[in-house]
Amino acid sequence: MSSIRRTTGRGANKLSLLGTTALVAALCVPGAMAQEDTVDEPISTGATAVAEDEEAVLDTIKVQGVRGALQTARNLKRDSDTFVDSISASDVSSLPDLSVAEALSRVPGVVVQRFELGGSDGDFPSPEGSGNIIRGLQYVRSEFNGRDAFSANGGRALEWASIPPELIGGVDVYKNQSADMIEGGISGNVNLRTLEPFDRDGRVAVIVADGTYTDLAEEWSPGFSAILGDRWDTDAGEFGLLGSFSTSELKSAVQGFQYGPLLAATNPDNGSTIALPGGFQARDVEFQRERDSYYLAGQWRSPDGNQELTIKGTRVENSTQSDERTFEFFTDAESWASWEILGVDSIRPFTSDGIPQCNGAGEAANGGIGVCETLIPITGGLFESGVVSNGLRDWLGTNGTLGTPFQSLAVYEQRDSVTQDISANFKWRATDQLFLEFDAHYTEAEATLDRLWAGGNHFADYSFNFSDPENPEIGLFVTPEMELQSWVPRGGTGTAPATSLADPATAFLLYAADQFEDNTGDLLALRADAEYEFDNDGWFDSVKFGARMSEREQQNRSAGLNWGGIAPPWAGGYLPYSNRQDASAFEVFDFGDFQRGGVFQGDTTSVVFPDRAQLQDYDAFVNSLINEPLLNVSTNADGNTQIGDWIPLRQNGVIDYAGRGIDGLVNEKTTNFYGMLNFGNEFDNGQALSGNVGVRYVKTDTTGGGIGGFSEFADLVGTPEEIASNPRTYLPELAAYMDQVDQNITIDNSYEYWLPSLNVKWELNDEMLIRFAASKAITPPNISDLNASRNSRAILGFVTDTNPAPGTQPGVVDIIPDAIRVDGGNPNLKPIEATNIDLSFEYYFGDDGQFSVSLFRKDIDNIIVYGTNNQGSATFDGYNIPIDFGGNVNLNDGSIEGVEVAYQQFYTDLPGLFGNLGVQANFTIISSDTTPLPAFEDADGDGVPDDFLTVYRWSIDELLGLSDLSGNLVGIYQDDQFEARLAYNWRSDYFSSYRDYITGNPIIQEEIGFLDASFKWDITDNVQFRVLGANLLDTKAFASQQIDASGQRFARSSFVNDRRFEVGIKY
């Protein structure tokens, strides 16, 4: 008989009736527990056989801790019937990672996503890993104990960053499909397995207390978790109960410096055309996250071992708050021609056949749509150090000189989410050859967002040194010439020359904005599976078939971002903070230590901002404005309070989502059937061939409804200047269009697919095997993107009189419509489709060594990206303007192919301490190709873009989020008392956006690597001390923008995160 190990992998749920003692190696460290349903020997029945199997497994355990966890993961990979990599609970707790998302980045082919993809979302990074990309694709399906899992943010995936590591029994990453797997993961399936009572013999009790220090925030954050479980043998069978609780906080900070677009300017020294960086931004964000989890699991196993019932309940609560302080000036179509070069220190060699004139924003009132796409050749170099000013608002100055109109923006945001899941699973070996499994689960989730903005104006000029874009230098200064005309400030003071940006007399409140979301969702799923084993020695092992029904309902409510001017200069004048009746409405923030110091040079580093505490209390902020006598406050025709042009979304404690935002319901019913044949045979030469072939049927019906709303203009109320700046004064026909009543929209769509799959494993000998898999897969659109609700708003350009007659007040003299923008969901989205092929060679040696090489290819259709589609045009007030839908659309196709190499080994044959060393290493190489997005939408065929947001520069043919290269290198030391790890994770550059709002250009996140470490000391058999460190190299996340057709790049952003250090005790 061959010594080849014939095992059944993921589909062999029948084997779980024998318990999970094969994983005890991962459980030997207190609190490190895992569950899995594979064993090495053929299945037996009866309590005696079960006991014998458990004893045999326990007798073979020789290792523990991290080495045992890696050995377990290796065996799971080896025995699986498709492509899978795993981590165990010990693995997660051993890594310096605060979430599952960050721990998963150690898996071959998996990278953590710290920046959202598309649009300008890359401007707002997450302080923790926010998601994962597998083999270059973000189409990842998440599972919770093999079941659907999601957060109420409207996506299909659970936010892994919100899951406490303390809940984890193990995590499996499946990179191809088999027919019994739930569809949805083109790039892969990530299954989080929670702890179960039968995972360990006897009683388990673990308490962990720790504290995390973040050096940028300079804060300590506490954490605590407890696990308690036991199991009992009775005449009625074996019972087990396990519960856990965890609570943790994280106080952190992110500081980002961002660059505007490159612009063409004239060198004052020689008249040549040079490239000028068009502004900058400094953003300081403080985060606070609180996370609590509650978990309870109960199990029962019949006396004969043929039946097992598992019931689990989970609740995870997350709350995050962020306070942002941003100081910025970025150029657009209105301001690009207003730059003045005051001094030149350094111009480096640089040429280009043409860079765009501006970013596209504000084109309608400043030359017309498409004017920014004019390409200007650069011959004189890149201006990287000197002194500049932008005179956009110089007309407000007494001497016609005022300085660059910087903005100070304060943002408070709070996000809360709750996810609850309850499940029941029953396994039954009905006969020696028939195994049945029944499963039911119910999930409900809720997620809310409250966001409040307030911004003001300051005037200053600045010196800059961008010779090292990762370490910029800025010098802010004010001069006596920076003096406002007497009519500009409200309240009669504030005209004196500015002496400091920290002076509230020369800092001016300008606008406010708010945004709210309140999303809820629930899911009920029922599943039944049957497997029949053939009683013969032939090729056919078993046949498996099953059915599944699920119904998910998602209610998405959102309103905003709702922006409005409070005190613009053309509508009654600026409001100096010093003239506010509410003296607590502002504070001073110092950027002197920004990005650990050195960015802001000189004495001018402090800036006036709206008060942080007031922004954290929405009602207090609004009431402060309402009670301000220098502001125009009224009640509009809808009965809502209006402050200047800003109409707060929350009126009398109520948010009218249907009337002023989006309120839509999506109901999705999915039916699945599958059939799968497991086959295998052993040959006389010691080799074996096994695998499965099957097909899965999917039918989904989507119904629901929503509201088609319109963002009406503010009422004609206020001072003559405010009425003169109201769009109703210039665009009455467009105003009437936006005043129309809301429209009801319904959804009634369906799709169906047949998804075949084939998995083959050829075991060459005890140590080597070749694996092949091919499958058809789909990833449905995010359920929130199927929402029928939409909101139409007008994009306008304001024309101001910059040269008024003496003694008269400048103001708005015309308003030009740019487009009607329709934002919302797209019920007609199709699932993304893919054909997946994998081939690997795997070599397993020693007790824990492995080496593997995997080749893969995916051909993808119906890729969903955020884009703009023209839906026609209309004429209002003499202007023919486009009507553009902005949202997710099926825009292009693509393919990826690549290779993964993975290696791990402990060098036990080396002498002395060297015998305690081990290493993990993996590397992934990927190439991609995708159909470039259209250069621009042109519905009327006049050769001019319908809207600047429909312009996609430079014909980018790469998928977003895909790094060509990524890898991990982990050094390990473990003896009987100490365990240490040093882990380096790296990925190459990748495109994060096809079009960024600030620059108009594609954005590339440059290559990045993080060094983390952990150390554990088993003080006694029951007490462990541990220290974890993350981001030890203080890595900056640097991004570039592609600035011309040849692919040249210029800096876009540089973000600094905390270094994190966790110290804890486990008992």
Side-chain angles (χ1 to χ4, degrees):
M1 172 66 72
S2 167
S3 61
I4 293 286
R5 307 192 325 166
R6 286 282 305 280
T7 59
T8 306
R10 185 182 196 271
N13 293 319
K14 58 188 178 184
L15 301 185
S16 63
L17 296 185
L18 300 182
T20 56
T21 50
L23 295 185
V24 177
L27 313 181
C28 295
V29 175
M33 293 181 284
Q35 65 149 48
E36 184 54 47
D37 49 16
T38 57
V39 295
D40 291 345
E41 301 299 326
I43 189 168
S44 302
T45 59
T48 302
V50 171
E52 290 174 352
D53 285 340
E54 291 178 348
E55 183 179 355
V57 173
L58 289 169
D59 286 345
T60 64
I61 294 174
K62 303 298 183 185
V63 294
Q64 59 183 6
V66 60
R67 186 180 171 196
L70 294 177
Q71 181 179 353
T72 299
R74 183 198 81 149
N75 293 337
L76 293 176
K77 177 182 179 72
R78 175 177 181 169
D79 296 339
S80 174
D81 56 6
T82 190
F83 287 76
V84 64
D85 287 288
S86 298
I87 55 178
S88 78
S90 176
D91 226 344
V92 173
S93 63
S94 293
L95 287 171
D97 300 315
L98 297 179
S99 71
V100 180
E102 292 179 306
L104 279 169
S105 66
R106 314 296 176 184
V107 173
V110 180
V111 295
V112 65
Q113 197 61 31
R114 303 176 190 275
F115 293 84
E116 298 296 327
L117 302 178
S120 295
D121 288 341
D123 291 349
F124 305 94
S126 168
E128 302 179 82
S130 60
N132 294 102
I133 287 178
I134 300 178
R135 290 177 167 176
L137 296 175
Q138 55 184 313
Y139 314 126
V140 179
R141 171 181 165 77
S142 66
E143 296 182 349
F144 204 61
N145 296 307
R147 307 176 181 96
D148 268 325
F150 64 92
S151 302
N153 58 8
R156 301 265 176 197
L158 195 63
E159 292 182 341
W160 295 119
S162 69
I163 298 299
E166 295 83 4
L167 271 181
I168 294 174
V171 183
D172 304 314
V173 180
Y174 293 92
K175 300 176 181 177
N176 211 308
Q177 313 284 310
S178 57
D180 59 342
M181 294 172 62
I182 303 173
E183 71 285 346
I186 284 177
S187 55
N189 282 20
V190 178
N191 179 34
L192 186 151
R193 293 176 280 106
T194 56
L195 313 173
E196 293 184 354
F198 291 168
D199 283 343
R200 185 165 184 176
D201 283 339
R203 180 174 301 162
V204 56
V206 179
I207 296 176
V208 178
D210 56 49
T212 300
Y213 179 75
T214 47
D215 72 331
L216 197 60
E218 298 182 337
E219 295 277 2
W220 279 95
S221 305
F224 173 82
S225 65
I227 301 170
L228 179 64
D230 206 347
R231 52 196 293 183
W232 305 270
D233 275 318
T234 72
D235 293 340
E238 186 174 12
F239 293 86
L241 190 65
L242 184 143
S244 74
F245 167 75
S246 72
T247 182
S248 68
E249 295 181 13
L250 177 66
K251 297 177 182 179
S252 62
V254 175
Q255 295 174 351
F257 188 91
Q258 301 196 52
Y259 298 81
L262 277 189
L263 309 169
T266 300
N267 187 337
D269 295 337
N270 57 24
S272 64
T273 302
I274 59 176
L276 165 72
F280 72 89
Q281 177 196 85
R283 177 188 293 142
D284 181 283
V285 187
E286 297 179 7
F287 293 90
Q288 181 171 334
R289 187 260 298 150
E290 300 174 1
R291 183 173 63 200
D292 296 325
S293 72
Y294 310 84
Y295 174 72
L296 184 64
Q299 287 185 287
W300 167 80
R301 182 179 297 155
S302 64
D304 61 4
N306 288 332
Q307 300 174 59
E308 185 174 284
L309 175 66
T310 303
I311 298 176
K312 298 180 180 180
T314 307
R315 179 182 172 92
V316 179
E317 302 171 353
N318 273 275
S319 179
T320 63
Q321 300 88 36
S322 66
D323 283 290
E324 175 184 330
R325 298 294 177 270
T326 292
F327 186 74
E328 66 181 6
F329 177 76
F330 285 132
T331 195
D332 57 13
E334 183 184 14
S335 60
W336 71 270
S338 300
W339 286 98
E340 181 181 0
I341 297 176
L342 304 180
V344 176
D345 293 333
S346 174
I347 296 177
R348 69 173 173 85
F350 171 79
T351 61
S352 173
D353 291 338
I355 63 174
Q357 185 164 260
C358 42
N359 69 349
E363 287 179 321
N366 297 278
I369 301 299
V371 66
C372 283
E373 300 314 305
T374 302
L375 299 181
I376 302 176
I378 304 297
T379 58
L382 193 155
F383 183 22
E384 64 179 9
S385 179
V387 183
V388 294
S389 177
N390 190 286
L392 176 64
R393 297 286 181 255
D394 278 355
W395 53 275
L396 296 171
T398 301
N399 302 311
T401 300
L402 196 56
T404 305
F406 284 100
Q407 289 193 14
S408 55
L409 169 64
V411 182
Y412 175 72
E413 175 183 295
Q414 177 158 340
R415 293 179 181 268
D416 295 300
S417 67
V418 178
T419 300
Q420 297 184 116
D421 182 275
I422 185 168
S423 63
N425 179 272
F426 180 68
K427 300 172 183 176
W428 176 27
R429 178 177 288 282
T431 72
D432 287 346
Q433 295 172 257
L434 179 63
F435 177 82
L436 303 176
E437 181 176 2
F438 304 94
D439 191 272
H441 87 278
Y442 176 76
T443 300
E444 62 180 15
E446 180 179 1
T448 61
L449 164 67
D450 296 359
R451 180 182 288 151
L452 180 61
W453 294 28
N457 255 154
H458 305 259
F459 294 94
D461 288 330
Y462 66 98
S463 64
F464 69 94
N465 184 346
F466 294 162
S467 58
D468 179 4
E470 294 191 38
N471 297 284
E473 295 179 358
I474 293 291
L476 298 167
F477 62 91
V478 294
T479 66
E481 291 78 16
M482 297 176 182
E483 181 178 357
L484 288 173
Q485 296 183 46
S486 60
W487 64 266
V488 178
R490 305 186 189 201
T493 61
T495 59
T499 58
S500 167
L501 293 176
D503 184 357
T506 52
F508 313 101
L509 179 64
L510 183 63
Y511 63 88
D514 53 353
Q515 181 179 5
F516 295 92
E517 295 179 6
D518 186 0
N519 303 322
T520 58
D522 60 66
L523 169 76
L524 174 65
L526 304 173
R527 195 189 81 224
D529 301 271
E531 184 169 7
Y532 182 80
E533 292 182 325
F534 298 110
D535 187 14
N536 58 58
D537 295 327
W539 274 93
F540 299 140
D541 288 341
S542 66
V543 61
K544 188 176 182 182
F545 50 89
R548 179 178 180 271
M549 181 281 292
S550 68
E551 180 174 0
R552 178 176 175 183
E553 189 166 273
Q554 180 81 22
Q555 185 86 35
N556 285 97
R557 306 175 187 89
S558 63
L561 188 72
N562 167 51
W563 188 97
I566 292 177
W570 52 83
Y574 280 125
L575 175 58
Y577 285 100
S578 61
N579 293 357
R580 290 289 312 271
Q581 177 174 277
D582 184 356
S584 65
F586 65 90
E587 64 182 12
V588 176
F589 183 84
D590 187 4
F591 283 93
D593 292 329
F594 183 76
Q595 293 198 343
R596 308 191 194 280
V599 175
F600 286 90
Q601 307 282 311
D603 297 329
T604 304
T605 60
S606 296
V607 180
V608 173
F609 280 90
D611 179 62
R612 175 179 313 214
Q614 197 172 89
L615 278 179
Q616 294 175 353
D617 186 335
Y618 183 92
D619 292 334
F621 175 78
V622 173
N623 288 333
S624 175
L625 297 179
I626 291 175
N627 295 323
E628 175 56 63
L630 295 177
L631 293 176
N632 179 48
V633 181
S634 61
T635 301
N636 69 7
D638 294 327
N640 293 326
T641 298
Q642 179 173 325
I643 307 167
D645 287 335
W646 184 53
I647 307 172
L649 286 170
R650 193 161 78 190
Q651 300 275 339
N652 299 317
V654 178
I655 303 161
D656 182 10
Y657 287 108
R660 301 188 60 192
I662 291 174
D663 187 352
L665 177 69
V666 179
N667 182 278
E668 188 178 74
K669 296 180 180 179
T670 299
T671 303
N672 298 124
F673 300 100
Y674 76 89
M676 185 174 75
L677 176 67
N678 294 307
F679 60 86
N681 202 5
E682 299 180 7
F683 305 107
D684 293 339
N685 61 0
Q687 298 184 357
L689 191 70
S690 62
N692 61 72
V693 60
V695 64
R696 186 175 188 87
Y697 171 76
V698 182
K699 186 178 189 302
T700 298
D701 298 305
T702 305
T703 58
I707 300 295
F710 299 85
S711 295
E712 61 187 30
F713 300 141
D715 287 349
L716 280 172
V717 294
T719 66
E721 293 83 5
E722 289 174 319
I723 292 175
S725 65
N726 192 304
R728 293 182 183 274
T729 302
Y730 304 92
L731 305 169
E733 294 177 2
L734 181 56
Y737 177 83
M738 303 307 294
D739 285 339
Q740 66 181 293
V741 298
D742 294 343
Q743 302 169 356
N744 291 320
I745 305 174
T746 59
I747 308 172
D748 188 4
N749 293 325
S750 65
Y751 61 81
E752 60 182 348
Y753 287 89
W754 292 92
L755 304 175
S757 61
L758 171 67
N759 291 275
V760 179
K761 181 166 62 175
W762 178 16
E763 299 179 81
L764 304 176
N765 52 43
D766 253 356
E767 296 181 328
M768 300 180 186
L769 63 86
I770 294 174
R771 196 187 302 270
F772 172 81
S775 67
K776 178 78 178 289
I778 62 170
T779 293
N782 283 337
I783 198 165
S784 61
D785 295 335
L786 298 173
N787 194 330
S789 290
R790 296 183 174 189
N791 187 68
S792 299
R793 58 187 173 90
I795 299 177
L796 307 175
F798 290 76
V799 181
T800 56
D801 179 10
T802 59
N803 294 292
T808 62
Q809 179 171 312
V812 174
V813 297
D814 198 6
I815 298 178
I816 300 174
D818 182 345
I820 293 175
R821 176 82 170 192
V822 183
D823 298 301
N826 183 359
N828 297 317
L829 284 173
K830 302 175 183 178
I832 305 168
E833 304 174 16
T835 300
N836 306 319
I837 298 177
D838 287 78
L839 177 67
S840 71
F841 169 77
E842 300 167 18
Y843 173 40
Y844 300 90
F845 53 92
D847 292 331
D848 42 44
Q850 69 163 325
F851 172 79
S852 62
V853 180
S854 301
L855 307 176
F856 58 89
R857 178 179 175 87
K858 298 178 185 290
D859 293 306
I860 311 166
D861 298 319
N862 298 330
I863 295 174
I864 297 174
V865 298
Y866 186 89
T868 304
N869 278 346
N870 180 263
Q871 297 184 329
S873 62
T875 300
F876 301 101
D877 305 293
Y879 297 98
N880 185 267
I881 59 176
I883 301 175
D884 295 319
F885 168 76
N888 283 314
V889 291
N890 297 102
L891 269 185
N892 55 352
D893 304 324
S895 64
I896 68 168
E897 55 189 16
V899 58
E900 291 173 356
V901 180
Y903 165 74
Q904 78 175 40
Q905 184 176 2
F906 277 84
Y907 304 103
T908 54
D909 293 336
L910 295 178
L913 295 178
F914 295 104
N916 298 321
L917 296 176
V919 67
Q920 275 183 291
N922 59 69
F923 199 73
T924 302
I925 304 172
I926 301 176
S927 64
S928 71
D929 181 42
T930 186
T931 307
L933 300 178
F936 57 84
E937 290 282 345
D938 183 16
D940 55 11
D942 63 357
V944 177
D946 296 326
D947 180 10
F948 77 93
L949 291 172
T950 69
V951 175
Y952 295 99
R953 295 171 178 167
W954 321 132
S955 298
I956 304 302
D957 62 355
E958 294 191 33
L959 294 169
L960 297 182
L962 189 147
S963 292
D964 292 341
L965 306 172
S966 63
N968 289 277
L969 181 61
V970 183
I972 305 167
Y973 176 89
Q974 180 182 326
D975 60 24
D976 292 338
Q977 193 172 17
F978 299 102
E979 177 184 305
R981 271 187 169 187
L982 193 64
Y984 185 71
N985 172 267
W986 177 88
R987 66 183 297 189
S988 64
D989 61 356
Y990 64 93
F991 280 92
S992 60
S993 176
Y994 293 124
R995 179 187 177 87
D996 168 58
Y997 182 85
I998 296 299
T999 68
N1001 292 320
I1003 303 302
I1004 307 100
Q1005 301 294 330
E1006 299 291 354
E1007 66 175 85
I1008 192 168
F1010 291 92
L1011 181 67
D1012 305 328
S1014 65
F1015 170 78
K1016 293 183 177 183
W1017 173 25
D1018 291 331
I1019 302 174
T1020 69
D1021 290 342
N1022 296 316
V1023 178
Q1024 182 186 82
F1025 171 77
R1026 62 184 184 183
V1027 179
L1028 313 176
N1031 188 25
L1032 297 181
L1033 300 180
D1034 193 21
T1035 300
K1036 287 185 176 181
F1038 185 72
S1040 300
Q1041 53 183 300
Q1042 182 174 330
I1043 57 175
D1044 65 10
S1046 70
Q1048 293 192 88
R1049 300 179 183 182
F1050 178 68
R1052 176 63 182 97
S1053 64
S1054 177
F1055 281 93
V1056 173
N1057 285 54
D1058 290 289
R1059 287 172 290 208
R1060 303 194 305 263
F1061 302 92
E1062 180 182 294
V1063 179
I1065 291 286
K1066 178 191 294 184
Y1067 176 77

